[in-house]
Amino acid sequence: AQSVTQLDSQVPVFEEAPVELRCNYSSSVSVYLFWYVQYPNQGLQLLLKYLSGSTLVKGINGFEAEFNKSQTSFHLRKPSVHISDTAEYFCAVSDSGGGADGLTFGKGTHLIIQP
Amino acid sequence: SQTIHQWPATLVQPVGSPLSLECTVEGTSNPNLYWYRQAAGRGLQLLFYSVGIGQISSEVPQNLSASRPQDRQFILSSKKLLLSDSGFYLCAWNFDRYYEQYFGPGTRLTVT
């Protein structure tokens, strides 16, 4: 079975500083990878996805992520954060070869932007 | 374009009372449908998923059940709520189990 590890449960960052949210997955097959954002008391919103092609993926709100197959990682980055980026961020993976599990989500990283 | 609705948005229910949460998807047909729960400060827990009318798979044994009476309608139910059923319930859909899911706005359930 797949697993997703989000290494940090909380990441405090000052406004306008860069941020990286880490995500590692365990899978021996090809994968699809996703990042979601959840604002308080709202559903999850898709930030970006990697299905194939370029390993650098750009998403909404200025976020990007890089797929690193050798390190089984899909870290999320933003060069300059804003107060409005305060939210919970979830990494998710699925087996593109059609494994039975569908999407597997990490436990989330709470991004806290400090003024 | 597709939209997903959930209601009610918030619900406060006493222990032992029944529950019915509804999720509907517009603008698509034959979606896969999912129910998740988020307990306070925790991640997503997949409760049920459905690939078609009347087809329900349960991921976690509990006092909850799900039904899919119509193609784009997914209902989460309980006959008797427990305190531990409190949480944020999310419905989601997708076309293919291995691609991105699209989430509804959620229902905040408080069992008192």
Side-chain angles (χ1 to χ4, degrees):
Chain A
Q2 297 167 27
S3 67
V4 178
T5 302
Q6 292 187 240
L7 296 163
D8 305 296
S9 59
Q10 276 194 138
V11 174
V13 180
F14 286 107
E15 194 173 14
E16 298 184 4
V19 68
E20 177 179 84
L21 305 183
R22 297 180 291 171
C23 173
N24 287 87
Y25 63 92
S26 67
S27 174
S28 61
V29 298
S30 297
V31 294
Y32 297 142
L33 294 155
F34 311 90
W35 273 101
Y36 286 85
V37 60
Q38 184 182 30
Y39 300 105
N41 293 311
Q42 295 185 27
L44 277 68
Q45 179 183 4
L46 183 68
L47 271 178
L48 48 78
K49 62 185 177 183
Y50 171 79
L51 302 180
S52 65
S54 172
T55 57
L56 183 62
V57 179
K58 293 190 183 296
I60 62 171
N61 301 342
F63 284 93
E64 64 180 30
E66 185 157 19
F67 169 52
N68 189 320
K69 188 173 182 177
S70 63
Q71 297 185 9
T72 59
S73 69
F74 191 54
H75 299 334
L76 181 70
R77 302 185 183 103
K78 186 170 182 177
S80 176
V81 295
H82 303 287
I83 289 286
S84 58
D85 292 322
T86 296
E88 193 82 17
Y89 291 81
F90 292 93
C91 180
V93 62
S94 69
D95 175 1
S96 60
D101 290 345
L103 259 66
T104 300
F105 286 85
K107 293 186 176 181
T109 297
H110 188 195
L111 178 61
I112 302 168
I113 309 302
Q114 301 168 330
Chain B
S1 64
Q2 301 88 6
T3 55
I4 178 169
H5 303 281
Q6 288 186 245
W7 61 87
T10 60
L11 191 60
V12 180
Q13 293 282 92
V15 168
S17 64
L19 173 73
S20 181
L21 303 182
E22 189 167 341
C23 170
T24 59
V25 181
E26 295 179 353
T28 186
S29 59
N30 198 31
N32 298 315
L33 295 170
Y34 306 83
W35 277 113
Y36 291 89
R37 178 171 60 200
Q38 278 185 301
R42 295 190 176 185
L44 294 166
Q45 179 186 30
L46 179 62
L47 301 175
F48 301 95
Y49 70 89
S50 171
V51 298
I53 296 174
Q55 301 178 62
I56 309 295
S57 296
S58 174
E59 294 293 311
V60 182
Q62 60 221 327
N63 69 322
L64 299 173
S65 62
S67 62
R68 185 170 176 174
Q70 300 180 43
D71 181 46
R72 291 169 290 176
Q73 184 185 33
F74 204 23
I75 297 172
L76 183 69
S77 304
S78 174
K79 293 182 179 178
K80 288 186 178 181
L81 284 168
L82 307 173
L83 285 174
S84 58
D85 292 323
S86 293
F88 193 51
Y89 287 81
L90 289 161
C91 182
W93 74 273
N94 66 3
F95 289 120
D96 183 302
R97 284 213 71 205
Y98 307 100
Y99 287 84
E100 64 269 27
Q101 294 177 13
Y102 299 96
F103 286 79
T107 295
R108 174 74 59 190
L109 171 66
T110 303
V111 182
T112 60

